[in-house]
Short mmCIF file of all heavy atoms in Angstrom, two decimals:
data_model
loop_
_atom_site.label_atom_id
_atom_site.label_comp_id
_atom_site.label_asym_id
_atom_site.label_seq_id
_atom_site.Cartn_x
_atom_site.Cartn_y
_atom_site.Cartn_z
N VAL A 141 7.30 -22.08 16.02
CA VAL A 141 6.57 -23.23 15.29
C VAL A 141 5.24 -22.85 14.89
O VAL A 141 4.44 -22.12 15.68
CB VAL A 141 6.50 -24.46 16.20
CG1 VAL A 141 5.77 -25.64 15.55
CG2 VAL A 141 7.85 -24.86 16.81
N GLU A 142 4.87 -23.20 13.70
CA GLU A 142 3.38 -22.89 13.24
C GLU A 142 2.48 -23.91 13.77
O GLU A 142 2.76 -25.14 13.55
CB GLU A 142 3.40 -22.85 11.65
CG GLU A 142 2.06 -22.47 11.13
CD GLU A 142 2.11 -22.42 9.55
OE1 GLU A 142 2.53 -21.43 9.01
OE2 GLU A 142 1.84 -23.45 8.92
N VAL A 143 1.48 -23.54 14.46
CA VAL A 143 0.49 -24.29 14.92
C VAL A 143 -1.01 -23.90 14.59
O VAL A 143 -1.12 -22.88 14.22
CB VAL A 143 0.55 -24.56 16.52
CG1 VAL A 143 1.92 -25.10 16.92
CG2 VAL A 143 0.33 -23.11 17.17
N GLY A 144 -1.90 -24.86 14.69
CA GLY A 144 -3.32 -24.49 14.45
C GLY A 144 -3.98 -25.71 13.90
O GLY A 144 -3.35 -26.74 13.37
N PRO A 145 -5.40 -25.71 13.99
CA PRO A 145 -6.12 -26.94 13.56
C PRO A 145 -6.21 -27.15 12.03
O PRO A 145 -6.35 -28.26 11.62
CB PRO A 145 -7.54 -26.63 14.12
CG PRO A 145 -7.59 -25.04 14.03
CD PRO A 145 -6.16 -24.65 14.49
N PHE A 146 -5.88 -26.13 11.27
CA PHE A 146 -6.05 -26.27 9.71
C PHE A 146 -5.34 -25.03 9.19
O PHE A 146 -5.16 -24.06 9.83
CB PHE A 146 -7.38 -26.49 9.32
CG PHE A 146 -8.43 -25.36 9.86
CD1 PHE A 146 -8.38 -24.13 9.17
CD2 PHE A 146 -9.22 -25.64 10.97
CE1 PHE A 146 -9.25 -23.15 9.77
CE2 PHE A 146 -10.07 -24.72 11.40
CZ PHE A 146 -10.05 -23.40 10.83
N LYS A 147 -5.17 -25.06 7.98
CA LYS A 147 -4.49 -23.85 7.31
C LYS A 147 -5.19 -23.72 5.95
O LYS A 147 -5.23 -24.58 5.05
CB LYS A 147 -3.05 -24.07 7.05
CG LYS A 147 -2.44 -22.74 6.46
CD LYS A 147 -0.93 -22.55 6.70
CE LYS A 147 -0.05 -23.36 5.90
NZ LYS A 147 1.36 -23.00 5.95
N VAL A 148 -5.87 -22.61 5.81
CA VAL A 148 -6.59 -22.32 4.49
C VAL A 148 -6.07 -21.06 3.74
O VAL A 148 -6.04 -19.99 4.39
CB VAL A 148 -8.15 -22.10 4.79
CG1 VAL A 148 -8.88 -21.78 3.58
CG2 VAL A 148 -8.73 -23.29 5.55
N ASP A 149 -5.82 -21.14 2.56
CA ASP A 149 -5.36 -20.03 1.68
C ASP A 149 -6.74 -19.45 1.06
O ASP A 149 -7.25 -19.98 0.08
CB ASP A 149 -4.38 -20.55 0.57
CG ASP A 149 -3.94 -19.32 -0.28
OD1 ASP A 149 -4.60 -18.19 -0.25
OD2 ASP A 149 -3.02 -19.55 -1.01
N GLN A 150 -7.24 -18.51 1.72
CA GLN A 150 -8.54 -17.93 1.31
C GLN A 150 -8.38 -17.07 0.01
O GLN A 150 -9.43 -17.04 -0.79
CB GLN A 150 -9.12 -17.06 2.38
CG GLN A 150 -9.26 -17.75 3.67
CD GLN A 150 -10.08 -16.92 4.78
OE1 GLN A 150 -11.23 -16.81 4.87
NE2 GLN A 150 -9.15 -16.10 5.42
N ILE A 151 -7.19 -16.60 -0.26
CA ILE A 151 -6.98 -15.81 -1.50
C ILE A 151 -7.11 -16.86 -2.71
O ILE A 151 -7.86 -16.45 -3.54
CB ILE A 151 -5.60 -15.10 -1.46
CG1 ILE A 151 -5.63 -14.06 -0.34
CG2 ILE A 151 -5.42 -14.42 -2.86
CD1 ILE A 151 -4.21 -13.41 -0.12
N GLU A 152 -6.39 -17.85 -2.63
CA GLU A 152 -6.39 -18.84 -3.73
C GLU A 152 -7.90 -19.40 -3.79
O GLU A 152 -8.28 -19.57 -4.97
CB GLU A 152 -5.51 -19.99 -3.31
CG GLU A 152 -5.33 -21.04 -4.46
CD GLU A 152 -4.47 -22.24 -4.02
OE1 GLU A 152 -4.48 -22.50 -2.95
OE2 GLU A 152 -3.94 -22.78 -4.92
N GLY A 153 -8.60 -19.58 -2.78
CA GLY A 153 -9.84 -20.11 -2.72
C GLY A 153 -10.78 -19.25 -3.45
O GLY A 153 -11.62 -19.61 -4.31
N VAL A 154 -10.69 -17.87 -3.08
CA VAL A 154 -11.60 -16.91 -3.80
C VAL A 154 -11.34 -16.72 -5.29
O VAL A 154 -12.23 -16.68 -6.03
CB VAL A 154 -11.39 -15.51 -2.97
CG1 VAL A 154 -11.94 -14.38 -3.84
CG2 VAL A 154 -12.15 -15.58 -1.69
N ILE A 155 -10.09 -16.63 -5.56
CA ILE A 155 -9.77 -16.64 -7.03
C ILE A 155 -10.27 -17.83 -7.80
O ILE A 155 -10.77 -17.72 -8.94
CB ILE A 155 -8.12 -16.45 -7.20
CG1 ILE A 155 -7.81 -15.12 -6.71
CG2 ILE A 155 -7.76 -16.60 -8.66
CD1 ILE A 155 -6.28 -14.86 -6.63
N ASN A 156 -10.09 -18.95 -7.22
CA ASN A 156 -10.54 -20.19 -7.91
C ASN A 156 -12.15 -20.24 -8.00
O ASN A 156 -12.61 -20.67 -9.03
CB ASN A 156 -10.08 -21.38 -6.99
CG ASN A 156 -8.66 -21.76 -7.31
OD1 ASN A 156 -7.95 -21.21 -8.23
ND2 ASN A 156 -8.07 -22.40 -6.41
N LYS A 157 -12.75 -19.86 -6.98
CA LYS A 157 -14.27 -19.85 -6.92
C LYS A 157 -14.77 -18.86 -8.04
O LYS A 157 -15.79 -19.13 -8.78
CB LYS A 157 -14.82 -19.28 -5.57
CG LYS A 157 -14.80 -20.20 -4.42
CD LYS A 157 -16.03 -21.09 -4.42
CE LYS A 157 -16.14 -21.94 -3.21
NZ LYS A 157 -17.25 -22.86 -3.27
N ILE A 158 -14.24 -17.58 -7.98
CA ILE A 158 -14.75 -16.65 -8.96
C ILE A 158 -14.29 -16.99 -10.54
O ILE A 158 -15.10 -16.78 -11.31
CB ILE A 158 -14.11 -15.21 -8.66
CG1 ILE A 158 -14.65 -14.84 -7.36
CG2 ILE A 158 -14.53 -14.21 -9.72
CD1 ILE A 158 -13.89 -13.65 -6.73
N SER A 159 -13.24 -17.53 -10.59
CA SER A 159 -12.81 -18.00 -11.95
C SER A 159 -13.72 -19.07 -12.52
O SER A 159 -13.96 -19.11 -13.70
CB SER A 159 -11.31 -18.40 -12.03
OG SER A 159 -10.54 -17.43 -11.58
N LYS A 160 -14.15 -19.88 -11.68
CA LYS A 160 -14.90 -21.06 -12.05
C LYS A 160 -16.42 -20.55 -12.08
O LYS A 160 -17.16 -21.15 -13.01
CB LYS A 160 -14.80 -22.21 -10.95
CG LYS A 160 -15.43 -23.49 -11.37
CD LYS A 160 -15.07 -24.57 -10.31
CE LYS A 160 -15.79 -25.89 -10.73
NZ LYS A 160 -15.45 -27.05 -9.68
N GLN A 161 -16.86 -19.85 -11.13
CA GLN A 161 -18.28 -19.33 -11.17
C GLN A 161 -18.33 -17.93 -10.85
O GLN A 161 -18.39 -17.46 -9.65
CB GLN A 161 -19.03 -20.26 -10.17
CG GLN A 161 -20.46 -19.91 -9.96
CD GLN A 161 -21.27 -20.10 -11.21
OE1 GLN A 161 -21.33 -19.22 -12.11
NE2 GLN A 161 -21.90 -21.30 -11.41
N PRO A 162 -18.36 -17.15 -11.89
CA PRO A 162 -18.19 -15.64 -11.70
C PRO A 162 -19.19 -14.99 -10.80
O PRO A 162 -18.91 -13.98 -10.12
CB PRO A 162 -18.40 -15.07 -13.07
CG PRO A 162 -17.87 -16.10 -14.06
CD PRO A 162 -18.42 -17.45 -13.30
N PHE A 163 -20.52 -15.56 -10.66
CA PHE A 163 -21.45 -14.88 -9.84
C PHE A 163 -21.80 -15.70 -8.55
O PHE A 163 -22.79 -15.65 -7.98
CB PHE A 163 -22.82 -14.78 -10.67
CG PHE A 163 -23.30 -16.06 -11.33
CD1 PHE A 163 -24.01 -16.98 -10.78
CD2 PHE A 163 -22.85 -16.14 -12.76
CE1 PHE A 163 -24.46 -18.06 -11.41
CE2 PHE A 163 -23.35 -17.21 -13.44
CZ PHE A 163 -24.05 -18.18 -12.85
N THR A 164 -20.72 -16.45 -8.14
CA THR A 164 -20.86 -17.15 -6.80
C THR A 164 -21.02 -16.18 -5.70
O THR A 164 -20.56 -15.04 -5.72
CB THR A 164 -19.60 -17.93 -6.57
OG1 THR A 164 -19.85 -18.71 -5.36
CG2 THR A 164 -18.29 -17.20 -6.39
N ARG A 165 -21.75 -16.66 -4.71
CA ARG A 165 -21.93 -15.90 -3.40
C ARG A 165 -20.95 -16.44 -2.34
O ARG A 165 -21.00 -16.02 -1.23
CB ARG A 165 -23.36 -15.98 -2.93
CG ARG A 165 -24.31 -15.34 -3.88
CD ARG A 165 -25.77 -15.36 -3.17
NE ARG A 165 -26.81 -15.00 -4.11
CZ ARG A 165 -27.62 -15.79 -4.75
NH1 ARG A 165 -27.41 -17.09 -4.65
NH2 ARG A 165 -28.56 -15.37 -5.60
N GLN A 166 -20.12 -17.40 -2.88
CA GLN A 166 -19.25 -17.97 -1.82
C GLN A 166 -17.84 -17.57 -1.72
O GLN A 166 -16.94 -18.16 -1.15
CB GLN A 166 -19.28 -19.56 -2.09
CG GLN A 166 -20.75 -20.16 -1.95
CD GLN A 166 -20.78 -21.57 -2.55
OE1 GLN A 166 -19.75 -22.21 -2.79
NE2 GLN A 166 -21.95 -22.12 -2.51
N ALA A 167 -17.44 -16.51 -2.51
CA ALA A 167 -16.19 -15.99 -2.54
C ALA A 167 -16.06 -15.10 -1.27
O ALA A 167 -16.16 -13.83 -1.47
CB ALA A 167 -15.91 -15.22 -3.84
N GLN A 168 -15.75 -15.62 -0.18
CA GLN A 168 -15.74 -14.83 1.12
C GLN A 168 -14.29 -15.16 1.69
O GLN A 168 -13.88 -16.12 1.77
CB GLN A 168 -16.84 -15.28 2.06
CG GLN A 168 -18.18 -15.21 1.50
CD GLN A 168 -18.73 -13.78 1.39
OE1 GLN A 168 -18.36 -12.79 2.10
NE2 GLN A 168 -19.60 -13.55 0.35
N MET A 169 -13.87 -14.09 2.38
CA MET A 169 -12.61 -14.29 3.16
C MET A 169 -12.93 -13.58 4.51
O MET A 169 -13.51 -12.48 4.61
CB MET A 169 -11.38 -13.55 2.50
CG MET A 169 -10.95 -14.06 1.17
SD MET A 169 -9.61 -13.23 0.44
CE MET A 169 -10.20 -11.61 0.06
N ILE A 170 -12.40 -14.28 5.63
CA ILE A 170 -12.56 -13.71 6.93
C ILE A 170 -11.29 -13.59 7.58
O ILE A 170 -10.34 -14.41 7.28
CB ILE A 170 -13.65 -14.68 7.74
CG1 ILE A 170 -13.10 -16.08 7.87
CG2 ILE A 170 -15.03 -14.57 7.19
CD1 ILE A 170 -13.96 -16.91 8.84
N THR A 171 -11.21 -12.76 8.71
CA THR A 171 -9.93 -12.60 9.38
C THR A 171 -10.17 -12.93 10.90
O THR A 171 -9.18 -13.09 11.53
CB THR A 171 -9.47 -11.15 9.26
OG1 THR A 171 -10.43 -10.21 9.79
CG2 THR A 171 -9.15 -10.74 7.83
N TRP A 172 -11.34 -12.98 11.21
CA TRP A 172 -11.63 -13.24 12.73
C TRP A 172 -11.29 -14.70 13.06
O TRP A 172 -11.83 -15.61 12.35
CB TRP A 172 -13.02 -12.90 13.10
CG TRP A 172 -13.23 -12.69 14.52
CD1 TRP A 172 -13.52 -13.58 15.53
CD2 TRP A 172 -13.26 -11.39 15.20
NE1 TRP A 172 -13.68 -13.02 16.70
CE2 TRP A 172 -13.49 -11.63 16.61
CE3 TRP A 172 -13.04 -10.04 14.85
CZ2 TRP A 172 -13.44 -10.60 17.51
CZ3 TRP A 172 -13.04 -9.02 15.82
CH2 TRP A 172 -13.34 -9.36 17.08
N MET A 173 -10.51 -14.90 14.08
CA MET A 173 -10.18 -16.27 14.60
C MET A 173 -10.67 -16.42 15.90
O MET A 173 -10.02 -16.10 17.03
CB MET A 173 -8.72 -16.65 14.35
CG MET A 173 -8.34 -16.86 12.95
SD MET A 173 -6.74 -17.24 12.51
CE MET A 173 -6.14 -18.25 13.72
N PRO A 174 -11.88 -16.92 16.21
CA PRO A 174 -12.42 -17.03 17.55
C PRO A 174 -11.55 -17.87 18.57
O PRO A 174 -11.52 -17.62 19.70
CB PRO A 174 -13.75 -17.75 17.36
CG PRO A 174 -14.07 -17.61 15.86
CD PRO A 174 -12.90 -17.44 15.24
N ILE A 175 -10.76 -18.71 17.96
CA ILE A 175 -9.86 -19.58 18.84
C ILE A 175 -8.83 -18.72 19.59
O ILE A 175 -8.34 -19.14 20.55
CB ILE A 175 -9.20 -20.72 18.09
CG1 ILE A 175 -8.66 -21.79 19.04
CG2 ILE A 175 -8.22 -20.21 17.08
CD1 ILE A 175 -8.40 -23.08 18.24
N LEU A 176 -8.53 -17.57 18.97
CA LEU A 176 -7.53 -16.59 19.52
C LEU A 176 -8.12 -15.47 20.36
O LEU A 176 -7.28 -14.72 20.82
CB LEU A 176 -6.60 -16.12 18.53
CG LEU A 176 -5.68 -17.10 17.85
CD1 LEU A 176 -4.97 -16.52 16.65
CD2 LEU A 176 -4.79 -17.86 18.70
N THR A 177 -9.34 -15.47 20.54
CA THR A 177 -10.09 -14.21 21.11
C THR A 177 -9.56 -14.01 22.51
O THR A 177 -9.37 -12.81 22.89
CB THR A 177 -11.56 -14.48 21.15
OG1 THR A 177 -11.99 -14.62 19.85
CG2 THR A 177 -12.30 -13.33 21.86
N SER A 178 -9.39 -15.07 23.31
CA SER A 178 -8.86 -14.86 24.66
C SER A 178 -7.39 -14.76 24.86
O SER A 178 -6.84 -14.41 25.86
CB SER A 178 -9.40 -15.99 25.65
OG SER A 178 -8.91 -17.15 25.20
N THR A 179 -6.72 -14.99 23.67
CA THR A 179 -5.19 -14.97 23.72
C THR A 179 -4.60 -13.68 23.31
O THR A 179 -3.61 -13.29 23.95
CB THR A 179 -4.61 -16.04 22.78
OG1 THR A 179 -5.35 -17.35 23.00
CG2 THR A 179 -3.16 -16.39 23.00
N VAL A 180 -5.21 -13.07 22.29
CA VAL A 180 -4.67 -11.78 21.85
C VAL A 180 -5.43 -10.62 22.39
O VAL A 180 -6.50 -10.68 22.76
CB VAL A 180 -4.53 -11.72 20.29
CG1 VAL A 180 -3.73 -12.89 19.81
CG2 VAL A 180 -6.05 -11.79 19.74
N THR A 181 -4.69 -9.41 22.32
CA THR A 181 -5.36 -8.18 22.82
C THR A 181 -5.99 -7.31 21.65
O THR A 181 -6.83 -6.52 21.90
CB THR A 181 -4.40 -7.35 23.61
OG1 THR A 181 -3.28 -7.10 22.92
CG2 THR A 181 -4.05 -8.09 24.89
N THR A 182 -5.53 -7.44 20.59
CA THR A 182 -6.02 -6.66 19.33
C THR A 182 -6.59 -7.72 18.34
O THR A 182 -6.13 -8.82 18.18
CB THR A 182 -4.85 -5.87 18.60
OG1 THR A 182 -3.72 -6.89 18.18
CG2 THR A 182 -4.30 -4.95 19.48
N HIS A 183 -7.63 -7.16 17.75
CA HIS A 183 -8.41 -8.05 16.72
C HIS A 183 -8.55 -7.25 15.60
O HIS A 183 -8.60 -6.10 15.45
CB HIS A 183 -9.67 -8.42 17.40
CG HIS A 183 -9.65 -9.19 18.65
ND1 HIS A 183 -9.39 -10.52 18.59
CD2 HIS A 183 -9.68 -8.82 19.89
CE1 HIS A 183 -9.37 -10.95 19.87
NE2 HIS A 183 -9.50 -9.93 20.64
N PRO A 184 -8.78 -8.00 14.42
CA PRO A 184 -8.78 -7.43 13.03
C PRO A 184 -10.15 -6.45 13.00
O PRO A 184 -11.16 -6.85 13.20
CB PRO A 184 -9.01 -8.49 12.10
CG PRO A 184 -8.50 -9.75 12.78
CD PRO A 184 -8.83 -9.47 14.27
N VAL A 185 -9.82 -5.21 12.53
CA VAL A 185 -10.93 -4.25 12.24
C VAL A 185 -11.77 -4.87 11.09
O VAL A 185 -13.00 -4.94 11.15
CB VAL A 185 -10.43 -2.94 12.00
CG1 VAL A 185 -11.53 -2.01 11.38
CG2 VAL A 185 -9.82 -2.30 13.18
N CYS A 186 -11.22 -5.17 9.88
CA CYS A 186 -11.88 -5.70 8.88
C CYS A 186 -11.96 -7.19 9.04
O CYS A 186 -10.98 -7.86 8.99
CB CYS A 186 -11.18 -5.19 7.53
SG CYS A 186 -11.07 -3.51 7.27
N ASN A 187 -13.26 -7.69 9.11
CA ASN A 187 -13.26 -9.18 9.44
C ASN A 187 -14.04 -9.96 8.35
O ASN A 187 -14.00 -11.18 8.53
CB ASN A 187 -13.98 -9.30 10.75
CG ASN A 187 -15.34 -8.83 10.90
OD1 ASN A 187 -16.07 -8.66 9.75
ND2 ASN A 187 -15.79 -8.49 11.99
N ARG A 188 -14.42 -9.26 7.33
CA ARG A 188 -14.97 -10.10 6.20
C ARG A 188 -14.84 -9.30 4.89
O ARG A 188 -15.05 -8.22 4.82
CB ARG A 188 -16.45 -10.51 6.28
CG ARG A 188 -16.92 -11.34 5.23
CD ARG A 188 -18.50 -11.56 5.42
NE ARG A 188 -19.23 -10.29 5.01
CZ ARG A 188 -19.63 -10.08 3.87
NH1 ARG A 188 -19.37 -10.92 2.84
NH2 ARG A 188 -20.34 -8.91 3.58
N CYS A 189 -14.32 -10.09 3.86
CA CYS A 189 -14.24 -9.41 2.58
C CYS A 189 -14.83 -10.38 1.58
O CYS A 189 -14.31 -11.42 1.39
CB CYS A 189 -12.70 -9.05 2.30
SG CYS A 189 -12.58 -8.23 0.66
N GLY A 190 -15.87 -9.97 1.06
CA GLY A 190 -16.75 -10.87 0.11
C GLY A 190 -16.67 -10.30 -1.30
O GLY A 190 -16.98 -9.11 -1.52
N THR A 191 -16.39 -10.98 -2.27
CA THR A 191 -16.65 -10.66 -3.65
C THR A 191 -17.86 -11.52 -4.06
O THR A 191 -17.69 -12.59 -4.46
CB THR A 191 -15.38 -10.99 -4.51
OG1 THR A 191 -14.28 -10.20 -3.93
CG2 THR A 191 -15.63 -10.52 -5.91
#
Side-chain angles (χ1 to χ4, degrees):
Chain A
V141 180
E142 185 178 275
V143 296
F146 50 78
K147 183 157 83 172
V148 178
D149 182 347
Q150 300 183 91
I151 296 174
E152 183 184 35
V154 161
I155 290 171
N156 287 339
K157 281 271 186 189
I158 297 166
S159 298
K160 190 175 179 182
Q161 180 57 276
F163 47 88
T164 182
R165 299 187 186 94
Q166 299 173 7
Q168 307 283 333
M169 297 182 290
I170 57 173
T171 60
W172 199 274
M173 285 183 33
I175 198 169
L176 294 178
T177 300
S178 61
T179 312
V180 300
T181 56
T182 57
H183 298 280
V185 167
C186 299
N187 61 26
R188 183 185 72 89
C189 182
T191 303

